Amino acid sequence: MGFSENTTGLVLAIVSSLFIGTSFILKKKGLKRAAAAGTPAGVGGYTYLREPLWWAGMITMIVGEVSNFVAYIYAPAVLVTPLGALSIIISAVLAHFMLRERLQRLGVVGCILCIVGSVVIVIHAPQEHMPTSVLEIWILAIQPAFVIYVAATISIVVALMLHFEPRYGQTNVLVYLGICSLMGALTVVSIKAIGIAIKLTLEGISQIAYPQTWFFLAVAVICVVMQLNYLNKALDTFNAAIVSPVYYVMFTTLTIIASAIMFKDWAGQNASSIVSEMCGFITVLSGTIVLHVTREQEPVNPPGNISWYDGEDIKVMEDGRYIMLNDSNYFH
């Protein structure tokens, strides 16, 4: 792959992050408006489909995803995917000003750690071997190691959906984002195959007649639909400044792992590069932990909560002689 193609891919990836980072905020505002008018998406509501601001966010995200899709045609996944870190800064800053979701100083440090770690990963990322046909990708997809990975991914997703979501979906951000990220990794390898098929077809080597091309397209569509559904739930339930970086870390990590297993990205790489990549991952994960700690330090008292003066919840209203109303609307 020539230098110009890599540059094109990287520029498209950056543009993609700008749009996707903005879409998080637009969709979040749309979800908030929809929740005020009907059932929240976090508990199965679909009123957000009638909210124009949500659709503005969806269109923005589609533009970003299209840019990202084209970027995968010109640059390897291990270079394109980590650049999604830019969307963390954009969404966190916009959430601070537009959604009034206060980003504490530790949160800023966490975002910086995520960015630094991603840069290290990009610098030391291995050169990916670019397949020359969809059939070549299919051979890579049915190798035992990747088949085991796909089987493990599907099993974990099913467990998260059937067991963990009903119990912890509303309290643990990793449930919804785990499903998004696991399916997202499969989306990326499918998108890579589709991108190569489109590129080869435009160059005069048609890949349309191969059933593998349509199989990869079907997988991508299914995975994208699941990603959007659970991403909406995560955005409606949790702070956008937390959803964006955690989703980025999980999605990037799983995508690089899936790409490494399928395309054997790390084959022949020296120890120094591997250690540097591991340090990059540790740095990114450290940033995620800092963001979680910041979120835990935020006040947790819900608006309108009626409590005893000593903090205990009232059980019988007749006994509530000395109560405390935890709602700022009562104090002007």
Side-chain angles (χ1 to χ4, degrees):
M1 181 178 290
F3 177 79
S4 60
E5 288 189 345
N6 268 340
T7 302
T8 301
L10 294 177
V11 170
L12 287 170
I14 293 173
V15 171
S16 170
S17 295
L18 292 172
F19 278 97
I20 292 175
T22 303
S23 73
F24 270 103
I25 308 305
L26 294 176
K27 291 175 68 179
K28 178 71 174 181
K29 288 182 71 69
L31 288 169
K32 280 188 172 183
R33 290 184 180 180
T39 305
V43 292
Y46 292 95
T47 28
Y48 62 86
L49 293 176
R50 299 193 297 268
E51 176 56 50
L53 196 57
W54 183 87
W55 281 107
M58 177 59 66
I59 293 172
T60 304
M61 176 170 278
I62 291 174
V63 173
E65 293 296 347
V66 170
S67 299
N68 200 45
F69 169 77
V70 179
Y72 280 114
I73 299 178
Y74 291 97
V78 290
L79 292 179
V80 174
T81 307
L83 290 177
L86 181 60
S87 66
I88 297 175
I89 299 177
I90 297 169
S91 62
V93 173
L94 290 179
H96 180 80
F97 292 103
M98 296 179 64
L99 301 178
R100 296 184 180 179
E101 296 179 354
R102 188 163 60 95
L103 183 62
Q104 301 181 17
R105 293 182 179 179
L106 283 179
V108 176
V109 172
C111 289
I112 293 174
L113 287 174
C114 290
I115 302 301
V116 171
S118 300
V119 171
V120 173
I121 293 173
V122 171
I123 292 175
H124 297 279
Q127 292 296 321
E128 182 183 51
H129 168 67
M130 297 298 295
T132 57
S133 71
V134 172
L135 292 179
E136 185 177 343
I137 300 177
W138 180 254
I139 293 174
L140 295 173
I142 60 176
Q143 60 182 317
F146 190 70
V147 170
I148 293 173
Y149 172 83
V150 172
T153 296
I154 295 175
S155 300
I156 295 173
V157 168
V158 170
L160 288 172
M161 292 174 63
L162 300 182
H163 178 75
F164 291 95
E165 182 184 352
R167 295 169 174 81
Y168 310 108
Q170 295 293 310
T171 58
N172 194 325
V173 69
L174 297 180
V175 176
Y176 291 147
L177 296 186
I179 298 174
C180 289
S181 303
L182 287 166
M183 300 307 293
L186 297 182
T187 301
V188 169
V189 294
S190 300
I191 288 294
K192 186 72 176 178
I194 297 170
I196 292 174
I198 293 176
K199 183 179 179 182
L200 291 174
T201 300
L202 294 176
E203 292 175 350
I205 308 174
S206 178
Q207 305 290 306
I208 298 177
Y210 294 112
Q212 289 86 350
T213 301
W214 300 103
F215 174 81
F216 284 122
L217 178 61
V219 170
V221 170
I222 293 173
C223 292
V224 166
V225 170
M226 290 188 64
Q227 280 181 268
L228 292 176
N229 183 36
Y230 282 94
L231 183 57
N232 282 332
K233 291 185 177 183
L235 284 170
D236 190 55
T237 307
F238 302 98
N239 192 303
I242 298 298
V243 171
S244 182
V246 173
Y247 178 53
Y248 160 74
V249 170
M250 296 179 67
F251 172 73
T252 301
T253 302
L254 291 171
T255 297
I256 291 178
I257 291 174
S259 179
I261 294 175
M262 182 171 176
F263 297 107
K264 297 179 170 41
D265 293 330
W266 288 325
Q269 200 174 20
N270 58 50
S272 176
S273 296
I274 294 176
V275 170
S276 297
E277 290 176 56
M278 292 178 62
C279 290
F281 276 116
I282 293 173
T283 304
V284 172
L285 294 178
S286 298
T288 305
I289 294 173
V290 171
L291 286 165
H292 272 294
V293 171
T294 303
R295 179 174 181 263
E296 292 172 356
Q297 292 175 346
E298 295 177 352
V300 295
N301 287 331
N305 181 44
I306 305 178
S307 305
W308 289 102
Y309 71 94
D310 60 358
E312 295 183 1
D313 291 338
I314 287 179
K315 300 301 182 182
V316 182
M317 290 303 298
E318 288 76 3
D319 296 335
R321 297 183 180 178
Y322 302 98
I323 62 176
M324 175 173 58
L325 300 178
N326 295 319
D327 192 334
S328 60
N329 291 330
Y330 289 96
F331 304 97
H332 298 284

